[in-house]
Amino acid sequence: MHMKTVILEASKTENITLCADVIKGGGLIAFATETVYGLGANALDEKAVEGIFKVKGRPFDNPLIVHVASVDDVEPLVSSIPDVFKILADRFMPGSLTLIMEKSNIIPDNVTAGLDTVAVRMPNHPAALAFIRAAGCPIAAPSANPSGSPSPTKAIHVLSDISGKIPYILDGGDCIVGLESTVLDISGDVPRILRPGFVTFEELNDLLENVENPRDVLSGKTDIESIEAPKSPGIKYRHYSPKTPLTAVVGLPDDTAKYITSRMDNDTAALMFDDYTFSHPNVVTYGNSRDYSAQATRLFDALRTLDTLGTTAIYAQTPSENGLGIAIANRILKAAGENIVEVD
Ligand code: TXA
Ligand code: MG
């Protein structure tokens, strides 16, 4: 099926209504959230949800996040509310935190890929909340990119990725966070991070005190791949990758910069911190080495830009692994696959 895809300004009420009507009719809408753009459908409509998997080329065994517009809308989606839910909801609903809980039977099987748990998030973006409210149902939405490629952080990213496959993109501006939400499993005895994201381990552990730190389960500290833990079905798929092979260069910024500059020629490109940029046509920067939130905001757009340069290799300066740096390093290492170099 081919249709013309139109970008609609989310600040106009009639556009929110138009997109909500598409959802009510069983269709798909791409919409802005504070993390990344999502590709949404009525989470309670199995057939509509099937459309998401088709448009994304997403494997059916990778479950979706269900988005709500208020804390009260969570209860019907789950079989019981865990004790820690209220503490987390008070702080992070709305917010860039996705909670995994035991599902209720109103959730179709394809949303959860057959698991007995469901992922729920309330986005911290006024347009997303207005859209979900107007649709009158929870919205299942993965990131709005084709499976495997960098997540979209601008409406034009979505247009270039899936134009012709959906009617509208609800444009709420560029995503401020720029990285996907943190996924926290609270269905068991100990809250456990399944995917690092904008909400850090430190923040969660300050609040709950017994959060399982993904690094505790690592055999080697450099094996950030295993941070998106085996329990999160997304782990086995290559993610966030530009088409050009990318090498993650891990170490202190002085050392990674030295390594990368020594390898540059006309056919190579580099992703550098602002304070380590150098004069070369194929250098793209993504924020100061100490400014993780800038790096998060700019990373996926930078990966897309690097992919347009027509080089045969990309080297990426990768932040060290604390706080939000873990989530950024996680995305770069996943984009790199096996191509990881440690320098010191
Ligand atoms: O910020 C975000 O989370 C964005 C915006 C659109 O909300 N969404 C997003 O969705 O990143 P997606 O589908 O790209 O990533 C969802 C992640 C996957 O790693 C998936 O495996 C995991 O959440 N997930 C979903 N349901 C799960 C469940 N029941 N148990 C464990 N992991 C689950
Ligand atoms: Mg995704």
Side-chain angles (χ1 to χ4, degrees):
M1 184 173 47
H2 193 89
M3 56 180 98
K4 185 169 162 51
T5 302
V6 177
I7 295 181
L8 297 177
E9 192 52 63
S11 56
K12 297 204 173 91
T13 314
E14 65 261 34
N15 290 340
I16 299 276
T17 308
L18 201 53
C19 291
D21 286 345
V22 170
I23 295 293
K24 288 175 188 169
L28 305 182
I29 292 291
F31 64 102
T33 81
E34 84 283 17
T35 57
V36 300
Y37 273 73
L39 176 63
N42 180 351
L44 306 181
D45 179 343
E46 182 153 29
K47 197 104 191 85
V49 169
E50 202 179 306
I52 294 175
F53 287 91
K54 286 199 185 125
V55 166
K56 264 189 78 98
R58 183 175 178 107
F60 285 99
D61 62 353
N62 195 3
L64 307 178
I65 296 171
V66 177
H67 297 73
V68 295
S70 89
V71 177
D72 293 338
D73 293 339
V74 175
E75 204 180 321
L77 307 176
V78 300
S79 63
S80 69
I81 298 274
D83 291 340
V84 292
F85 177 81
K86 194 182 173 341
I87 301 170
L88 292 164
D90 282 349
R91 172 90 166 265
F92 297 112
M93 286 194 152
S96 308
L97 181 69
T98 294
L99 297 174
I100 308 287
M101 293 167 279
E102 300 286 339
K103 80 178 194 84
S104 75
N105 55 22
I106 68 167
I107 311 280
D109 274 348
N110 59 357
V111 171
T112 64
L115 296 174
D116 50 20
T117 53
V118 62
V120 183
R121 179 166 103 83
M122 179 176 170
N124 188 15
H125 191 298
L129 295 172
F131 163 62
I132 300 165
R133 227 170 268 133
C137 60
I139 305 269
S143 50
N145 52 297
S147 238
S149 64
S151 297
T153 55
K154 298 168 185 277
I156 49 162
H157 292 163
V158 182
L159 191 67
S160 73
D161 281 355
I162 56 175
S163 179
K165 294 177 175 169
I166 57 170
Y168 303 120
I169 299 164
L170 192 58
D171 183 355
D174 297 352
C175 301
I176 290 172
V177 168
L179 283 187
E180 302 85 349
S181 62
T182 303
V183 178
L184 183 71
D185 184 354
I186 55 168
S187 69
D189 292 337
V190 181
R192 180 174 160 77
I193 295 175
L194 299 184
R195 177 176 72 183
F198 187 68
V199 175
T200 62
F201 162 75
E202 288 84 351
E203 277 178 275
L204 293 169
N205 201 48
D206 282 349
L207 203 61
L208 304 179
E209 286 170 1
N210 66 340
V211 177
E212 243 177 68
N213 182 350
R215 276 177 297 183
D216 291 349
V217 300
L218 300 184
S219 45
K221 197 164 171 283
T222 55
D223 184 14
I224 295 193
E225 263 290 292
S226 56
I227 280 180
E228 187 159 324
K231 213 187 154 193
S232 207
I235 177 90
K236 57 180 188 242
Y237 304 107
R238 194 164 173 245
H239 273 286
Y240 319 115
S241 308
K243 291 177 193 80
T244 315
L246 179 145
T247 299
V249 185
V250 182
L252 295 174
D254 283 344
D255 299 326
T256 56
K258 201 177 294 167
Y259 178 93
I260 294 171
T261 49
S262 75
R263 269 158 187 80
M264 291 300 283
D265 59 32
N266 291 335
D267 293 324
T268 53
L271 176 67
M272 303 297 290
F273 300 131
D274 291 357
D275 41 334
Y276 287 89
T277 191
F278 53 94
S279 174
H280 189 285
N282 300 335
V283 172
V284 175
T285 60
Y286 75 121
N288 190 278
S289 59
R290 278 186 285 261
D291 189 351
Y292 289 144
S293 69
Q295 293 165 29
T297 307
R298 291 166 57 186
L299 175 64
F300 287 139
D301 184 57
L303 290 178
R304 284 167 184 265
T305 303
L306 285 160
D307 227 6
T308 65
L309 300 176
T311 66
T312 55
I314 299 167
Y315 291 100
Q317 230 183 347
T318 307
S320 52
E321 313 158 22
N322 48 55
L324 181 54
I326 290 190
I328 297 158
N330 169 270
R331 302 308 188 270
I332 295 176
L333 292 177
K334 283 176 101 45
E338 308 282 282
N339 304 328
I340 299 170
V341 174
E342 273 187 80
V343 292
D344 49 33

